[in-house]
Amino acid sequence: MDVQILSPEVIQDTNFAPTPSSAIAADLIDSTFGTTCIDLTSSSLDSSVLAFSDEWFAPASNLTNPKPPIRRPGVFVPTGAWYDGWETRRHNPEPYDWVIIKLGVASGKVKGIEVDTAFFDGNHAEAVEVQGCFEVGEDADTQVVKKDYTGWKQVLGHQGCGASRRQAWKADDEREVTHVRLCMFPDGGIARFRLYGQVVPVFPTPIEQEIELSSALMGGMVLSASEEHFGSSKSNLLLPGRGVDMGGGWETRRSRSPGHVDWVIVKLGARGRVKRIIVDTAFYRGNYPQAMKIEALDDGEGSPDPEGSRWKEILGLRRLGPDKEHEYAASNLSNVEGAAYTHLKMTIVPDGGVKRFRVFGIRL
């Protein structure tokens, strides 16, 4: 992924044509977007729902929950049956209901859209459209929620939706957006909304300032891993914060073979000099790895071979403890003085769970 630097002074042309889209089969959604994109509207990135037309039965904030939707049959709340999603009232007098979401990153390029109507059957959305805008400045959020705001441009044209299913579309788009508006025709329910894309970060100045090179907010990406078990995602490793429970990290299955290791490869948001590293085992108490080591390489594009010969060890094998941030300063690292890297590989021994992997340094 090429990460472009976006400064607050960037002014771009918003008079663009609609983006072409193509449907993706439900069983191909994760493989299509999982290694090249992140969910730009995920609440784990601190995205926010700014406004909505209605949320009578279930709140719009459920749309950005990174966890899969669940069902609680027989459970009722004052407005009716409990649903894990966004549901509006019946008989909408307007053509559609809508929700406006601010991305959890400075801005991003949209590559795909997913609308999941899980467990909405008979009350699901019949169709959707998605619009985007690029709006920066202190009053950006105030501007985009105004009824007469004219900056919305089509990202996904009118698409029909089915009951209780995942449905997604490609939308290869080179324009940056900061906010999106999901339009639901005419009313009903949607469990999850995912906006797959690539981050366009705002890097701080001066360039000598230390930043978290691996952060998802800076365009960092987890390219590959030996495995992902227990429903955990390797991409969780680069999220901000330390999470709220053991469910928001990367955890591998128990190994039964002598000499087994697991690994994960991270592409930094910018090529840089590594100054310190944090490996966080927050909430992993009886299932943290016994130890880990870290290697790095300067590779540009592509997904490096995990068994390749070009990896350089920058941190030898270190023991890990439960529920703890393990910080390694420059004095603990090797092969980093005067060196620049684009990718890091963390190997855990023999298996277990890691909450966050943070790489700090100076971008070049």
Side-chain angles (χ1 to χ4, degrees):
M1 180 186 73
D2 290 327
V3 178
Q4 297 183 1
I5 300 175
L6 171 66
S7 67
E9 292 78 20
V10 168
I11 301 176
Q12 70 173 36
D13 180 13
T14 57
N15 295 316
F16 38 67
T19 300
S21 58
S22 57
I24 303 295
D27 60 349
L28 297 178
I29 295 173
D30 294 335
S31 61
T32 300
F33 302 113
T35 60
T36 58
C37 301
I38 65 169
D39 178 8
L40 300 171
T41 55
S42 171
S43 60
S44 22
L45 292 175
D46 296 326
S47 64
S48 55
V49 173
L50 300 181
F52 47 80
S53 58
D54 181 63
E55 56 173 17
W56 177 260
F57 289 110
S61 58
N62 286 333
L63 288 169
T64 61
N65 186 341
K67 296 181 179 180
I70 61 173
R71 188 185 181 201
R72 298 172 66 184
V75 176
F76 287 82
V77 293
T79 55
W82 183 91
Y83 274 91
D84 185 10
W86 171 47
E87 186 180 5
T88 63
R89 70 189 80 200
R90 295 186 184 218
H91 314 307
N92 183 14
E94 300 295 330
Y96 55 83
D97 279 312
W98 54 266
V99 58
I100 296 174
I101 302 172
K102 180 181 181 178
L103 272 57
V105 298
S107 76
K109 296 180 180 182
V110 181
K111 302 302 178 183
I113 297 100
E114 178 183 350
V115 173
D116 187 351
T117 55
F119 310 117
F120 286 97
D121 189 349
N123 56 346
H124 59 282
E126 289 189 355
V128 295
E129 290 181 10
V130 179
Q131 300 158 353
C133 70
F134 182 89
E135 196 71 47
V136 295
E138 293 183 359
D139 65 341
D141 295 350
T142 303
Q143 293 297 319
V144 301
V145 300
K146 290 181 177 180
K147 189 174 183 179
D148 60 353
Y149 179 69
T150 59
W152 295 113
K153 305 298 177 181
Q154 181 175 294
V155 173
L156 179 70
H158 200 81
Q159 302 288 341
C161 293
S164 193
R165 69 187 66 176
R166 295 179 70 187
Q167 46 233 319
W169 303 267
K170 281 186 178 180
D172 196 8
D173 200 332
E174 289 303 310
R175 306 161 303 186
E176 294 95 4
V177 298
T178 55
H179 303 74
V180 290
R181 180 166 68 173
L182 170 63
C183 302
M184 174 171 64
F185 294 80
D187 50 45
I190 296 172
R192 296 290 186 269
F193 172 68
R194 312 232 184 268
L195 190 77
Y196 297 113
Q198 298 170 349
V199 177
V200 182
V202 175
F203 288 117
T205 53
I207 194 171
E208 295 80 12
Q209 180 177 335
E210 182 182 280
I211 62 172
E212 188 177 345
L213 294 167
S214 58
S215 172
L217 300 178
M218 292 294 159
M221 289 282 299
V222 178
L223 299 182
S224 58
S226 55
E227 66 146 282
E228 299 170 279
H229 205 63
F230 302 110
S232 65
S233 170
K234 59 186 182 297
S235 297
N236 289 337
L237 287 168
L238 309 185
L239 294 176
R242 301 188 70 202
V244 296
D245 56 34
M246 196 169 62
W250 171 58
E251 184 180 2
T252 65
R253 72 187 76 203
R254 296 181 188 227
S255 59
R256 304 302 188 189
S257 304
H260 178 87
V261 298
D262 283 312
W263 53 266
V264 63
I265 294 177
V266 171
K267 181 179 180 182
L268 303 178
R271 182 172 180 265
R273 302 194 191 281
V274 178
K275 297 297 183 182
R276 61 189 177 99
I277 296 172
I278 293 176
V279 177
D280 190 356
T281 56
F283 302 102
Y284 292 104
R285 300 183 178 95
N287 52 350
Y288 60 94
Q290 291 182 337
M292 65 84 206
K293 69 174 183 178
I294 299 172
E295 299 163 280
L297 61 76
D298 188 12
D299 191 48
E301 287 304 312
S303 184
D305 179 358
E307 303 299 327
S309 60
R310 294 183 299 126
W311 292 103
K312 293 182 180 179
E313 184 174 276
I314 62 172
L315 182 65
L317 201 64
R318 295 289 193 278
R319 293 197 66 84
L320 295 177
D323 196 14
K324 177 184 178 182
E325 283 188 303
H326 305 75
E327 183 165 358
Y328 306 96
S331 58
N332 303 121
L333 305 178
S334 58
N335 295 315
V336 296
E337 187 66 32
Y341 295 111
T342 56
H343 297 74
L344 271 73
K345 173 187 170 185
M346 177 174 63
T347 301
I348 60 174
V349 182
D351 53 50
V354 176
K355 178 55 67 65
R356 298 289 185 264
F357 178 57
R358 306 194 188 284
V359 182
F360 296 85
I362 308 299
R363 67 183 177 91
L364 299 176

